[in-house]
Amino acid sequence: MKVSALIALFAAGGLAASAAAQQPPAPGGGAPPPRPPAGARPMRSPLPPPEPIEHVTRNVWKIFGGGGNTTVVVQKAGVVLVDTKMPGNGPAILGEVKKVSDKPVVLIINTHSHPDHLGSNDYIRDQYPNVQIVMNEGAKEEVLANKGYGPKLLPTETFKDTMTIGKGQDEIRLYHFGRGHTNGDTFVFFPAQHVLCMGDVMAWDMAPFLPAGGAAAIADEIDKLVAALRGKGVQYVIEGHGNVNTWAHLERFARFNRALIKAARLHYDRGDPPSAAVADLEKVPEFAPLLDHKIKQGLEYGNTPFARANMNVNVAYAEFAGEKIGFAVANGGPLPATDKHKGSNPADTAPPTPAQIAAETPRPKLPGV
């Protein structure tokens, strides 16, 4: 599919279009958005197809495209996959895995409940009936609440806050620190390999997508993650989409999200428009890569870092005002002015133009920006 068609499909640069109809209920008791008919399968991926498998380090690889990143770890007993992309990508995932190992897939870990991260669980489960599928309790609840999901997408095991699987060179540690990108975010740490998988809490190397709100909550979530893993040897940070970054990038990312909330609160209280908060962030040199105006190749549906920062300030303003967080605002629609705050400039979160797409920069290769 052409990039221009993708942009139209992803209206304002959010997650996959199917995710728009498959979000968990908004926090605070809000009604869930409309769902597909009972028994319907999530749509097949309109995203660029999976690319050839890339080596990250030691026994760790990454498959880009077709939805979220799929991390591949070859262990003694078999292959571990972190996330399985949109529906229809199972054959491509397994084809790439075969390039690096003939071992069976024994474990799938899903970082959250969105279809571009668990959509091919069912296909892989059909090929390997004994595969273990693990996700957070909150993610399972979101899967069960979604009538468009089939039973083979469900986990075989869940965890609440932390979980350890395996030992020695094959040890895996799972962490959940509360609501952020979803209500069931999982961070996956492979200690012996020094690899951390972030899911969509960190994706595109820009401010995270907040379909369920949580501009302040996700800053707390990231701070807790950094505090828990500081000094634990993380060297490779695999984002939910796109990049492989470093621990230093993750720490910067945490500072950025905390600064975004503080700036949003300051300017909300002053009665300033949301753009004033982003202008403050632009004054901090280390945040420049997180406020870029460029489109990243293969990640065009993510919009620009600048637009994403504005989206999250808009979400923060709505939360400060006690207003319901609509998917449209989280996904790039302008924040309407109310008696509690000024509205946003639609241009700050508008979809990328053809000229921007034409000037897109190559996708960064390892180890990141």
Side-chain angles (χ1 to χ4, degrees):
M1 180 176 289
K2 293 182 179 179
V3 170
S4 58
L6 274 174
I7 295 304
L9 183 61
F10 290 123
L15 202 63
S18 62
Q22 299 183 46
Q23 300 305 326
R35 294 183 179 131
R41 281 291 305 276
M43 65 175 284
R44 287 180 176 272
S45 175
L47 306 180
E51 293 186 2
I53 195 166
E54 301 174 78
H55 188 230
V56 177
T57 182
R58 300 178 62 179
N59 57 327
V60 181
W61 289 262
K62 176 175 75 74
I63 306 172
F64 173 88
N69 285 327
T70 296
T71 299
V72 179
V73 183
V74 180
Q75 296 189 337
K76 183 177 180 180
V79 174
V80 176
L81 301 179
V82 180
D83 288 338
T84 62
K85 308 187 182 298
M86 287 286 283
N89 285 292
I93 292 171
L94 295 185
E96 293 304 312
V97 169
K98 289 294 184 183
K99 294 179 180 179
V100 299
S101 177
D102 289 327
K103 293 182 177 181
V105 176
V106 295
L107 173 63
I108 295 170
I109 302 168
N110 294 124
T111 59
H112 60 289
S113 63
H114 288 162
D116 57 330
H117 290 262
L118 55 68
S120 294
N121 280 10
D122 51 0
Y123 178 87
I124 297 171
R125 195 173 197 158
D126 285 342
Q127 310 310 306
Y128 300 101
N130 295 321
V131 68
Q132 181 184 15
I133 302 176
V134 178
M135 63 180 70
N136 180 257
E137 291 176 356
K140 180 181 179 180
E141 291 175 2
E142 291 170 352
V143 173
L144 286 170
N146 191 323
K147 294 181 180 179
Y149 282 157
K152 290 184 180 180
L153 299 182
L154 284 164
T156 60
E157 190 170 354
T158 62
F159 75 102
K160 183 177 181 180
D161 299 315
T162 62
M163 180 179 184
T164 299
I165 304 171
K167 58 184 179 180
Q169 293 295 305
D170 291 343
E171 181 180 349
I172 308 169
R173 300 176 193 171
L174 309 183
Y175 300 88
H176 171 72
F177 296 107
R179 181 167 66 95
H181 178 64
T182 68
N183 291 316
D185 298 334
T186 292
F187 303 100
V188 187
F189 180 40
F190 298 88
Q193 291 74 29
H194 309 289
V195 168
L196 173 65
C197 298
M198 292 292 296
D200 282 357
V201 172
M202 186 179 187
W204 300 287
D205 198 24
M206 62 179 82
F209 180 44
L210 301 175
I218 203 164
D220 292 340
E221 180 185 35
I222 297 166
D223 282 347
K224 291 174 183 177
L225 171 70
V226 170
L229 292 184
R230 182 175 285 118
K232 297 295 194 295
V234 175
Q235 296 178 14
Y236 302 90
V237 178
I238 300 179
E239 298 184 15
H241 293 257
N243 305 329
V244 176
N245 270 321
T246 65
W247 177 258
H249 282 82
L250 176 56
E251 289 192 310
R252 180 190 65 182
F253 186 68
R255 292 191 295 271
F256 173 79
N257 283 278
R258 179 58 57 194
L260 185 149
I261 288 299
K262 289 182 178 179
R265 182 82 249 187
L266 172 67
H267 289 284
Y268 174 87
D269 290 343
R270 288 180 177 177
D272 299 330
S275 58
V278 179
D280 277 1
L281 297 174
E282 290 182 303
K283 297 174 184 177
V284 183
E286 73 163 338
F287 295 159
L290 296 163
L291 295 165
D292 199 330
H293 289 254
K294 295 180 180 179
I295 297 295
K296 298 176 182 178
Q297 187 177 21
L299 300 170
E300 296 85 359
Y301 55 94
N303 210 318
T304 67
F306 175 79
R308 181 68 63 193
N310 277 278
M311 291 178 201
N312 286 10
V313 171
N314 289 348
V315 170
Y317 265 48
E319 290 178 337
F320 297 153
E323 298 166 353
K324 182 179 178 181
I325 310 300
F327 180 82
V329 170
N331 197 36
L335 179 71
T338 69
D339 59 351
K340 295 183 179 180
H341 58 74
K342 293 182 179 179
S344 67
N345 182 348
D348 291 337
T349 55
T353 66
Q356 284 178 289
I357 296 168
E360 65 193 15
T361 55
R363 180 166 62 85
K365 296 296 184 180
L366 306 178
V369 177

